[in-house]
């Protein structure tokens, strides 16, 4: 009986999610959004036009009770084992329930999730390289919004929906894409009994990844020196100009998360650096013949030194913090991961500091996960009752998610007026973050959420499992 009711409810949700009101005619400049079609390749983004629309979003009046799962997961399960598929589905539901009870979500968040054998379905078999991709998740679309400090930042669609704009840039069908390799590793599911020492709690991995998908991610990275990162900037908005074959530079673009990053030694916001980086266009202009032209001119500009200096900061322990809402006190900043040297794309900055938070109730977003211990045990052994720790909750509130303690978070504007570059044509094709390899110590199993490296000393065979984050 209860099951039937649930089925009807989810059918309604699935059905009505296609009930779009046709986009409103708008005479403003069409907004440029970015789709991230491949959760395993965050570097690949497609610029898509997302004209202002009055598209309906599924909301729920049950949301305020905090008891309803606000995540609508469409799962493609590619394994024949039906009970395994059920475990995967159940894990997504559990993760959805945990997040839904920590936040006040007013709009359903849709996830396109797959649990498939990457070797069979995508030819990703590890092979000679010894690399096995485990999976990953990312926002399916990021949307530029105008912040109150004059910068335009990219917001994940899941968050933009919570702002309930009457008209807004058009949404894509899913908010978060997630993909996990059924043949990649030895996942442990709740109810499986004793956990092996080399097993990973699938719930822990799913929750960690979904939080990234909700917007816990920095856009600071090296977009200039592909394989040898040395200069840090936000994403580079460099787009075809339309009129000719040149590219137009629309500025460096931070994520919603980046608005709150501060330099822990100076107390200054790193967005000040973004503003200074944007003056690059003053002398050079905004037209470039191609990426190489941009890179060469940026490298020889005075602004490039700021990017080189930022690299020093992101590899200096405890140098960057996230300043939560209603705080002007450095002591209240949440320390971000900057002790990794060399810089690790995706692991650095986009996590909380491992050394500070590993043993606290804010362990969920550290870059290294534990093997052989499950999420519930970790939570209770730290004397907590909530899996979403207090500091993680603060971060989510600060970027715009409401909670019962903080029901009226900051909301950016949907109307883009400036990016401190006097432009409203935001059109970028930029790279995202991929969390990647971390160093392995002998005979150990180093489980990065993003990378699992197993060093087999006997056979000198290295098997590396990659779990790619946004
Ligand atoms: C199917 O999955 C279940 C749950 O993970 C597992 O206990 C069982 O051994 C699997 N069956 C086969 C045939 O692999
Ligand atoms: C959902 O994900 C699967 C697997 O990645 C993909 O094949 C499919 O196209 C996705 N659907 C949409 C609508 O994005
Ligand atoms: C660059 O242009 C901005 C906006 O016009 C201006 O405020 C700023 O002073 C200029 N910076 C330099 C270094 O010329
Ligand atoms: C952070 O502040 C310190 C101390 O003022 C300074 O030396 C460092 O260059 C700053 N980092 C960045 C990226 O501005
Ligand atoms: C992280 O914390 C766990 C306790 O849950 C502990 O077992 C582990 O050794 C810690 N890791 C490091 C590297 O300190
Ligand atoms: C964006 O970049 C990718 C990879 O460099 C490229 O394949 C794609 O055509 C670009 N898209 C646009 C709209 O420029
Ligand atoms: Zn991560």
């Amino acid at each position: 009986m209860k099951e039937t009711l649930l089925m009807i409810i989810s059918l309604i949700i699935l059905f009505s999610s296609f009930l779009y009101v046709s986009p409103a005619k708008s005479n403003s400049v069409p907004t440029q959004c970015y789709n991230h079609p491949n959760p395993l390749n965050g570097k690949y983004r497609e610029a898509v036009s997302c004209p202002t629309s009055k598209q309906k979003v599924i909301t729920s009046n049950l949301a305020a009770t905090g008891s309803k799962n606000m995540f609508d997961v469409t799962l493609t399960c590619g394994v024949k084992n039906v009970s395994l598929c059920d475990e995967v589905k159940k894990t997504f539901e559990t993760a959805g329930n945990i997040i839904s009870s920590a936040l006040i979500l007013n709009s359903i968040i849709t996830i396109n999730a797959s649990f498939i054998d990457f070797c069979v379905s995508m030819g990703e078999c590890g092979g000679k390289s010894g690399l096995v991709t485990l999976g990953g998740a990312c926002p399916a679309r990021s949307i530029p919004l105008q912040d109150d400090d004059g910068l335009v930042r990219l917001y994940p669609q899941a968050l933009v929906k919570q702002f309930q704009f009457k008209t807004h840039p058009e949404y894509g069908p899913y908010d978060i894409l997630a993909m996990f390799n059924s043949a990649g590793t030895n996942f442990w599911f709740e109810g499986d009994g004793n956990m092996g020492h080399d097993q990973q709690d699938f719930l822990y991995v799913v929750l960690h990844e979904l939080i990234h998908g909700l917007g816990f991610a920095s856009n600071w990275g090296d977009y200039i020196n592909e394989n040898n990162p040395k200069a840090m900037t936000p994403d580079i908005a460099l787009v075809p100009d339309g009129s000719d074959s040149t590219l137009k530079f629309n500025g460096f673009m931070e994520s919603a998360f980046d608005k709150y990053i501060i330099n822990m030694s100076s107390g200054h916001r790193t967005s000040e650096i973004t503003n200074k980086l944007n003056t690059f266009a003053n002398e050079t202009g905004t037209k470039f013949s191609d990426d190489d032209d941009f890179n060469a001119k940026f490298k020889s500009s005075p602004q490039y030194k700021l990017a080189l200096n930022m690299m020093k900061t992101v590899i200096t322990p405890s140098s960057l913090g996230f300043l939560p809402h209603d705080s002007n006190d450095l002591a209240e900043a949440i320390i971000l991961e900057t002790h990794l040297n060399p810089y690790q794309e995706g692991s650095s900055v986009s996590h909380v500091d491992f050394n500070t938070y590993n043993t606290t109730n804010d362990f969920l977003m550290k870059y290294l996960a534990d093997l052989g211990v499950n999420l519930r045990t970790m939570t209770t052994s730290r004397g907590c009752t909530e899996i979403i720790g207090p500091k993680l909750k603060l971060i989510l509130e600060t970027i715009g998610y409401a909670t019962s303690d903080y029901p009226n978070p900051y909301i950016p504007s949907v109307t883009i007026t400036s990016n401190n570059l006097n432009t409203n044509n935001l059109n970028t094709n930029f790279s995202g973050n991929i969390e990647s390899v971390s160093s392995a110590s002998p005979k150990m199993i180093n489980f990065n959420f993003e990378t699992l490296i197993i060093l087999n000393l006997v056979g000198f065979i290295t098997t590396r499992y990659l779990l790619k984050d946004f």
Side-chain angles (χ1 to χ4, degrees):
M1 187 59 202
K2 212 171 150 197
E3 252 102 59
T4 319
L5 194 67
L6 277 175
M7 261 175 68
I8 291 168
I9 291 170
S10 53
L11 275 175
I12 291 168
I13 288 166
L14 284 174
F15 179 70
S16 41
S17 63
F18 295 102
L19 279 179
Y20 293 143
V21 174
S22 49
K25 255 255 175 264
S26 159
N27 44 18
S28 62
V29 180
T31 313
Q32 202 67 64
C33 295
Y34 307 96
N35 283 352
H36 315 258
N38 182 359
L40 305 179
N41 182 6
K43 283 229 164 196
Y44 181 69
R45 299 190 184 192
E46 287 168 358
V48 289
S49 159
C50 48
T52 304
S53 136
K54 281 186 176 162
Q55 192 181 9
K56 276 268 192 307
V57 169
I58 314 304
T59 55
S60 168
N61 52 11
L62 289 173
T65 68
S67 59
K68 188 176 186 295
N69 185 359
M70 293 295 283
F71 289 78
D72 179 18
V73 179
T74 304
L75 176 68
T76 303
C77 190
V79 298
K80 293 225 171 75
N81 186 336
V82 177
S83 61
L84 182 56
C85 286
D86 284 347
E87 303 251 40
V88 170
K89 177 105 186 145
K90 248 168 43 196
T91 304
F92 274 97
E93 277 162 16
T94 306
N97 277 317
I98 290 168
I99 299 173
S100 302
S101 58
L103 309 176
I104 300 176
L105 297 170
N106 54 50
S107 302
I108 299 278
I109 294 172
T110 54
I111 304 175
N112 178 0
S114 317
F115 189 73
I116 50 175
D117 185 330
F118 287 8
C119 184
V120 172
S121 53
M122 307 188 299
E124 277 219 32
C125 304
K128 278 184 295 218
S129 68
L131 286 166
V132 178
T133 306
L134 278 192
C138 69
R141 175 171 291 187
S142 51
I143 296 172
L145 296 178
Q146 180 69 56
D147 273 321
D148 57 3
D149 61 355
L151 283 178
V152 174
R153 291 189 179 80
L154 290 168
Y155 280 74
Q157 181 173 300
L159 177 53
V160 180
K161 279 187 176 174
Q162 309 307 320
F163 296 145
Q164 296 190 298
F165 296 122
K166 281 206 184 70
T167 61
H168 53 78
E170 196 166 39
Y171 297 140
Y174 290 100
D175 301 319
I176 295 173
L177 302 184
M179 209 187 245
F180 295 96
N181 191 352
S182 60
T185 188
N186 197 1
F187 285 123
W188 180 88
F189 297 89
E190 298 205 303
D192 270 3
N194 285 343
M195 196 175 182
H197 69 282
D198 62 341
Q199 283 195 294
Q200 302 134 53
D201 185 346
F202 192 59
L203 175 62
Y204 193 170
V205 175
V206 167
L207 260 178
H208 177 101
E209 293 294 329
L210 289 187
I211 300 285
H212 281 311
L214 292 176
F216 192 112
S218 171
N219 276 2
W220 284 94
D222 192 331
Y223 301 91
I224 310 282
N225 311 286
E226 282 268 315
N227 299 314
N228 182 18
K230 42 181 174 270
M232 301 290 293
T233 68
D235 279 332
I236 298 169
L238 198 58
V239 294
D241 199 18
S243 49
D244 48 38
S245 63
T246 60
L247 297 175
K248 186 167 183 294
F249 175 59
N250 285 331
F252 293 95
M253 211 169 287
E254 299 187 345
S255 67
F257 182 87
D258 292 327
K259 183 171 192 268
Y260 307 96
I261 299 184
I262 49 163
N263 180 335
M264 292 299 288
S265 11
S266 67
H268 284 252
R269 292 190 184 268
T270 46
S271 294
E272 290 178 22
I273 301 167
T274 303
N275 272 319
K276 286 183 193 155
L277 284 169
N278 279 341
T279 64
F280 166 60
N282 285 22
E283 299 86 29
T284 324
T286 55
K287 287 214 167 192
F288 299 89
S289 54
D290 53 25
D291 290 331
D292 292 341
D293 182 34
F294 177 90
N295 291 352
K297 284 178 177 150
F298 180 60
K299 278 183 169 180
S300 60
S301 74
Q303 286 80 7
Y304 188 62
K305 292 197 184 66
L306 296 168
L308 293 173
N309 187 50
M310 184 63 173
M311 176 53 94
K312 286 190 203 144
T313 302
V314 301
I315 56 172
T316 305
S318 304
S319 63
L320 294 178
F322 182 103
L323 195 65
H325 60 78
D326 300 318
S327 174
N328 281 312
D329 186 352
L330 272 184
E332 286 169 14
I334 296 138
I335 315 297
L336 299 177
E337 184 56 82
T338 56
H339 86 272
L340 298 167
N341 187 1
Y343 166 79
Q344 303 292 324
E345 191 170 56
S347 295
S348 302
V349 190
S350 292
H351 293 92
V352 297
D353 181 49
F354 184 87
N355 296 328
T356 311
Y357 302 107
N358 177 45
T359 54
T360 74
N361 33 10
D362 283 293
F363 63 89
L364 188 67
M365 295 313 288
K366 64 194 167 102
Y367 83 104
L368 275 180
D370 308 63
L371 289 172
V373 56
N374 69 61
L375 184 62
R376 309 270 185 195
T377 306
M378 292 183 76
T379 306
T380 50
S381 72
R382 284 164 172 80
C384 344
T385 49
E386 304 298 333
I387 288 170
I388 309 284
K391 291 196 161 62
L392 173 54
K393 204 164 131 247
L394 268 180
I395 290 176
L396 294 171
E397 287 168 356
T398 306
I399 65 173
Y401 290 98
T403 68
S404 52
D405 295 331
Y406 195 68
N408 298 303
Y410 164 75
I411 299 183
S413 168
V414 75
T415 308
I416 287 166
T417 52
S418 88
N419 189 24
N420 289 357
L421 264 188
N422 298 323
T423 175
N424 55 7
N425 180 20
L426 296 154
N427 185 349
T428 62
N429 191 10
F430 52 83
S431 306
N433 301 318
I434 293 186
E435 308 204 3
S436 60
V437 186
S438 125
S439 59
S441 53
K443 214 175 67 165
M444 72 112 230
I445 301 172
N446 179 8
F447 177 38
N448 191 312
F449 282 99
E450 297 67 45
T451 315
L452 180 64
I453 302 170
I454 298 181
L455 212 69
N456 180 339
L457 283 179
V458 181
F460 291 101
I461 299 162
T462 307
T463 309
R464 293 193 276 181
Y465 297 94
L466 288 184
L467 182 64
K468 292 172 179 171
D469 267 7
F470 166 60

